Amino acid sequence: MSIYKKIAIAVISVFIFVILLNIGLNYWIKKQLPIIIDEKNKTAYYIHYEKVEVSLLSRNIYATTLLVHPRSQPKDSKNGLYSKIESITIKHFNIWDLVFRNVIQAESIVVDKPRVILYKKGEKLLNNSSSIKTEIIEPFRKIIAVSNIYLNDGTVNVVSLNGNKPIFSIKKIILKLEGILITDATLKEKIPLHYEKYTLICDSLFYKPNPFYHINIDKISTENNFLKINHFTAIPQYSRKEFVRQLQTEKDIYTIQLDSAEINKMGWGFKNDRFFFKANSIVMNHVDANVYRNKIPKDDLSKKYLYNHLLRNIKFPLQVDTLQVLKSKLVYEEEIDFTKGPGVLNFDRFNLQATNLQSGFGLKKTDDVKIKIHCLFMKNSPLNVNWNFNILDTKDSFHIEGIISNFNVAAMTQFSKPYMNSTFTGTFNKYRFNFYGNDAISKGNAVLDYEDLKVKLYKKKNPEKEAKLKSAIVNLLVKNDSKDKAKNTDVEIERIKEKSFYNFLWRSIAASLKKILI
């Protein structure tokens, strides 16, 4: 037999052997996969699939129509996690790990169109965050280990069994998680895996953080150290009357919408089991915020801490170098009851910049928080405010100064008429305040240049009719003109510690106006 025939026979033999080996391994792997997925599966979930295809040449596993459900579940209701997945592709798996270790070790896994729904007791999104690690990540690690996860067009819903109400929903999830490392050491950490980079894009987020509010976001996109959200809304669950009826004590009701927000150069995670968050900047565009307070519920007599204290006592490292709120609107409404309607304060074209926002955790020295506000007050007058404080100052000292120009006081009608049963006319050409304060007291001065100030008081039982005698007496007491010369006064007031910082500021302003005008 010639050497060429021997070589040809050897090549053909090797080729046939490879084919037979491929067929044998293919057959064996297909038989072994159900054992790994079922018998070797130590998770609390059953995993079923319609069909599976294995290619040893490309070292890929392709499975279709996967169903995941709890091993133990009530007969008449659902409880736990349920999922239907259109297909899963496991790429470049290690044959020998599968054959000898019963573990699917692979380069990546691609999950297409997973539909996940979690039924749970109570209305908290997570009762115990460590359960994700112990019940899902750690057990599944014994079945499959991959370096990269790619998830396409996913949907997640969390439903409370209390009334079968949705708590959380998110749609059209696209996730890329690359450079994954899960070890015995990482499993002991708060985030039980390490990764090199990630990308997450999703639409239509709904979240109910508590019984009073729900949150909607049209789109979220985040990648490594950047996050952007579009069309955020935080909306009360109830009408104002129903909301107030459920309150035990006075509480603000918030309605917040914004077009977009961006967090730049973001870093977060856990260090020594302590959560941390930092960002170079947070920018919020076109915020529309409404704050409503009704005086029907009884006063909340708990102490209201100033912002120094609130930031100082955050229990983790927090740092935001710059916070910006741009081209926004703030409306404050306060109502005595539901008969007259609320008094309204408007702050339009609202722009805010705050620098050096951080918690006091672990700090011994830090620069002041500096806040600058520019807006249009009551739709007609520019208002500028500068506000500084240091979070490590245990006296909670602050300095705030501001100036309002060309203010037509008739614009206060929408607040003063329903809330104070009075209206004003006249012009504040310029009002400037400059206050230094702390948790106990506020001191400072104010300057007012004004003209043609007049007051109208209205009858309590008939608010549409003027109380002419009372109006005449008040106008005799009020100095209606500064006579082309700004009037200056010093003020000093004690803080009511059951009231907010903004009440403290308003009382300081009101005290200065009272001293100047009367």
Side-chain angles (χ1 to χ4, degrees):
M1 183 181 293
S2 69
I3 186 64
Y4 297 107
K5 286 184 178 181
K6 290 180 179 180
I7 292 173
I9 291 170
V11 170
I12 291 169
S13 298
V14 170
F15 182 70
I16 291 171
F17 175 77
V18 169
I19 291 174
L20 292 173
L21 180 63
N22 184 66
I23 293 171
L25 280 174
N26 235 313
Y27 176 80
W28 186 88
I29 289 171
K30 283 188 177 182
K31 292 291 184 182
Q32 190 69 6
L33 277 175
I35 297 173
I36 295 173
I37 293 172
D38 189 9
E39 295 180 15
K40 302 288 183 180
N41 176 7
K42 302 302 182 183
T43 70
Y45 298 94
Y46 282 121
I47 304 172
H48 305 281
Y49 55 86
E50 186 177 82
K51 68 174 184 177
V52 64
E53 296 176 2
V54 180
S55 171
L56 292 183
L57 293 176
S58 61
R59 292 185 292 120
N60 291 346
I61 299 172
Y62 178 73
T64 59
T65 315
L66 290 92
L67 301 175
V68 180
H69 62 83
R71 291 182 181 272
S72 58
Q73 54 183 321
K75 291 181 180 180
D76 300 326
S77 65
K78 291 184 176 181
N79 188 16
L81 185 146
Y82 296 77
S83 179
K84 181 179 181 180
I85 303 168
E86 185 174 283
S87 67
I88 287 180
T89 304
I90 299 169
K91 294 187 174 182
H92 303 150
F93 70 89
N94 188 308
I95 296 172
W96 304 116
D97 281 335
L98 184 58
V99 172
F100 296 109
R101 295 178 55 224
N102 292 325
V103 173
I104 304 172
Q105 183 87 30
E107 179 185 285
S108 62
I109 181 171
V110 181
V111 183
D112 286 311
K113 293 186 177 179
R115 303 291 182 258
V116 179
I117 184 166
L118 173 63
Y119 296 93
K120 63 185 301 298
K121 296 178 181 179
E123 295 192 356
K124 287 186 178 180
L125 183 58
L126 289 175
N127 292 335
N128 182 5
S129 59
S130 64
S131 64
I132 296 176
K133 175 173 64 178
T134 57
E135 295 181 18
I136 298 176
I137 294 179
E138 188 172 3
F140 272 108
R141 168 186 173 232
K142 297 175 181 178
I143 302 172
I144 182 168
V146 295
S147 298
N148 309 306
I149 294 175
Y150 303 99
L151 188 149
N152 300 316
D153 192 14
T155 297
V156 176
N157 292 284
V158 181
V159 177
S160 169
L161 293 172
N162 299 351
N164 206 37
K165 295 179 180 179
I167 301 172
F168 178 84
S169 174
I170 190 166
K171 299 176 181 178
K172 296 183 179 179
I173 304 168
I174 298 173
L175 172 66
K176 298 179 181 178
L177 194 59
E178 299 178 336
I180 298 169
L181 176 66
I182 302 176
T183 66
D184 291 337
T186 66
L187 286 170
K188 295 177 182 178
E189 298 176 4
K190 293 287 187 180
I191 299 177
L193 56 84
H194 291 176
Y195 53 85
E196 293 177 359
K197 56 182 179 179
Y198 70 92
T199 300
L200 173 65
I201 301 171
C202 51
D203 291 348
S204 305
L205 182 145
F206 168 86
Y207 177 41
K208 186 181 175 185
N210 56 52
F212 292 100
Y213 291 92
H214 66 265
I215 292 170
N216 287 286
I217 301 174
D218 279 2
K219 186 174 183 178
I220 301 173
S221 55
T222 179
E223 183 173 1
N224 299 329
N225 60 1
F226 173 80
L227 182 145
K228 182 176 181 179
I229 65 173
N230 293 93
H231 299 112
F232 169 97
T233 60
I235 306 292
Q237 289 281 105
Y238 308 103
S239 68
R240 286 179 173 178
K241 285 187 177 181
E242 180 61 21
F243 202 117
V244 169
R245 190 184 68 81
Q246 296 191 45
L247 295 178
Q248 300 297 315
T249 58
E250 276 187 24
K251 183 179 291 187
D252 291 335
I253 301 173
Y254 298 95
T255 304
I256 302 171
Q257 303 179 62
L258 62 88
D259 282 354
S260 66
E262 296 181 2
I263 304 178
N264 299 290
K265 295 186 179 179
M266 171 181 66
W268 64 276
F270 289 86
K271 187 175 182 180
N272 299 326
D273 284 343
R274 180 78 63 175
F275 178 76
F276 70 88
F277 177 89
K278 61 181 180 179
N280 177 264
S281 68
I282 298 177
V283 182
M284 294 185 281
N285 294 290
H286 297 102
V287 179
D288 187 347
N290 180 284
V291 182
Y292 171 85
R293 172 164 289 216
N294 192 288
K295 306 298 288 184
I296 291 175
K298 63 182 181 181
D299 289 341
D300 177 3
L301 298 179
S302 62
K303 180 174 179 178
K304 308 303 184 296
Y305 292 100
L306 301 184
Y307 289 100
N308 318 52
H309 181 279
L310 294 174
L311 287 168
R312 183 170 62 248
N313 286 275
I314 293 175
K315 301 302 183 183
F316 62 88
L318 168 70
Q319 178 183 335
V320 178
D321 295 336
T322 303
L323 168 67
Q324 288 184 292
V325 180
L326 304 176
K327 299 178 181 178
S328 297
K329 176 182 178 181
L330 171 62
V331 177
Y332 177 77
E333 300 181 65
E334 190 164 304
E335 193 164 25
I336 297 173
D337 51 39
F338 291 108
T339 58
K340 297 180 181 179
V344 181
L345 298 176
N346 288 289
F347 302 85
D348 292 283
R349 302 180 194 173
F350 186 90
N351 293 277
L352 176 149
Q353 177 175 288
T355 57
N356 199 42
L357 284 172
Q358 56 185 322
S359 67
F361 185 86
L363 296 181
K364 294 183 178 179
K365 185 178 180 181
T366 184
D367 293 333
D368 286 356
V369 175
K370 296 183 179 181
I371 301 172
K372 294 184 177 182
I373 298 170
H374 307 283
C375 66
L376 198 65
F377 180 57
M378 302 303 285
K379 300 185 182 295
N380 73 13
S381 304
L383 170 64
N384 298 306
V385 176
N386 291 316
W387 176 17
N388 298 353
F389 57 87
N390 194 289
I391 62 169
L392 298 183
D393 183 351
T394 55
K395 292 182 179 179
D396 294 336
S397 303
F398 64 86
H399 173 219
I400 188 165
E401 60 178 348
I403 183 169
I404 186 170
S405 305
N406 302 318
F407 179 51
N408 182 350
V409 296
M412 287 295 293
T413 297
Q414 59 180 314
F415 182 82
S416 63
K417 183 66 167 61
Y419 195 72
M420 301 165 61
N421 211 32
S422 60
T423 60
F424 303 87
T425 57
T427 303
F428 285 3
N429 298 317
K430 187 169 288 187
Y431 171 71
R432 183 192 299 272
F433 63 86
N434 186 17
F435 303 134
Y436 291 84
N438 53 41
D439 191 45
I441 198 168
S442 171
K443 295 181 180 180
N445 63 78
V447 179
L448 177 63
D449 174 14
Y450 69 102
E451 57 189 33
D452 299 328
L453 182 65
K454 292 182 179 180
V455 182
K456 278 188 180 182
L457 301 180
Y458 294 84
K459 296 180 178 180
K460 287 185 178 181
K461 293 184 179 180
N462 191 354
E464 299 306 314
K465 288 190 175 182
E466 181 185 359
K468 292 183 178 180
L469 180 59
K470 289 182 179 180
S471 296
I473 294 172
V474 168
N475 282 300
L476 285 174
L477 297 174
V478 170
K479 301 167 187 174
N480 69 342
D481 201 307
S482 62
K483 303 186 183 302
D484 299 323
K485 183 180 180 181
K487 292 189 174 182
N488 191 321
T489 188
D490 293 327
V491 293
E492 179 176 333
I493 66 166
E494 292 185 5
R495 180 170 179 239
I496 301 172
K497 296 186 179 181
E498 295 79 24
K499 302 290 185 179
S500 70
F501 168 80
Y502 302 104
N503 172 272
F504 196 18
L505 175 61
W506 168 247
R507 288 176 56 241
S508 298
I509 292 172
S512 72
L513 292 175
K514 183 177 180 181
K515 290 184 71 173
I516 289 172
L517 298 174
I518 298 177

